[in-house]
Amino acid sequence: MASIKINYKESKNDLYAVFIEKSTRYSLNYVAMITQHTWMFVMGFEKLRKNILNNYNIQSMIHLGSKAFEEISGEVVQTCSFVIRNNNNIKLSTFIRLTDFDSSKEKQYKYHKWNDITNHTLHINYTAKANYEITDLIFLLSL
């Protein structure tokens, strides 16, 4: 545990966040994951969020929320899916919020029907990202 506290100061609060930090640090191209969504909101992960926004490109992020998987019921596990590119020169990111849909099948259907979720999708110019937190981006999708 001491090694994590020393080497992964931005993500030491949870092992999955350490994996995000380590993966982005050592990746030459892309990192794609499905994780708990807490790293997007909890203050303890603020440094991790800022590091990702300032040094990488979130090519896409889907806030799935609860009921993203049929096998996991209830509100306990809330997830997000994302692709981070180890390139800070990309100009566009796509954020999709699927938290309003009540089942994994409905989320899958809505994801594949782009016309149905245009009001749940946010495209943002990379140069503007420095002014945002990930939580701000998710909030904008809720308006």
Side-chain angles (χ1 to χ4, degrees), residues 51-124:
N51 178 46
I52 290 171
L53 285 173
N54 292 330
N55 298 305
Y56 303 96
N57 173 254
I58 299 176
Q59 190 162 349
S60 63
M61 177 178 279
I62 304 169
H63 188 195
L64 296 161
S66 62
K67 301 175 187 166
F69 301 97
E70 286 182 39
E71 299 80 12
I72 304 173
S73 62
E75 301 289 326
V76 175
V77 178
Q78 298 207 29
T79 59
C80 67
S81 168
F82 54 89
V83 177
I84 296 173
R85 186 170 185 188
N86 193 353
N87 182 337
N88 207 11
N89 298 320
I90 304 301
K91 301 293 184 202
L92 188 67
S93 297
T94 301
F95 295 84
I96 301 172
R97 187 173 61 91
L98 295 176
T99 57
D100 294 339
F101 307 112
D102 293 330
S103 71
S104 60
K105 288 184 191 276
E106 190 177 8
K107 290 173 194 281
Q108 182 179 11
Y109 176 77
K110 295 293 184 177
Y111 174 78
H112 289 293
K113 298 277 294 173
W114 286 103
N115 291 334
D116 289 348
I117 62 167
T118 53
N119 62 329
H120 295 276
T121 304
L122 173 68
H123 301 284
I124 187 164

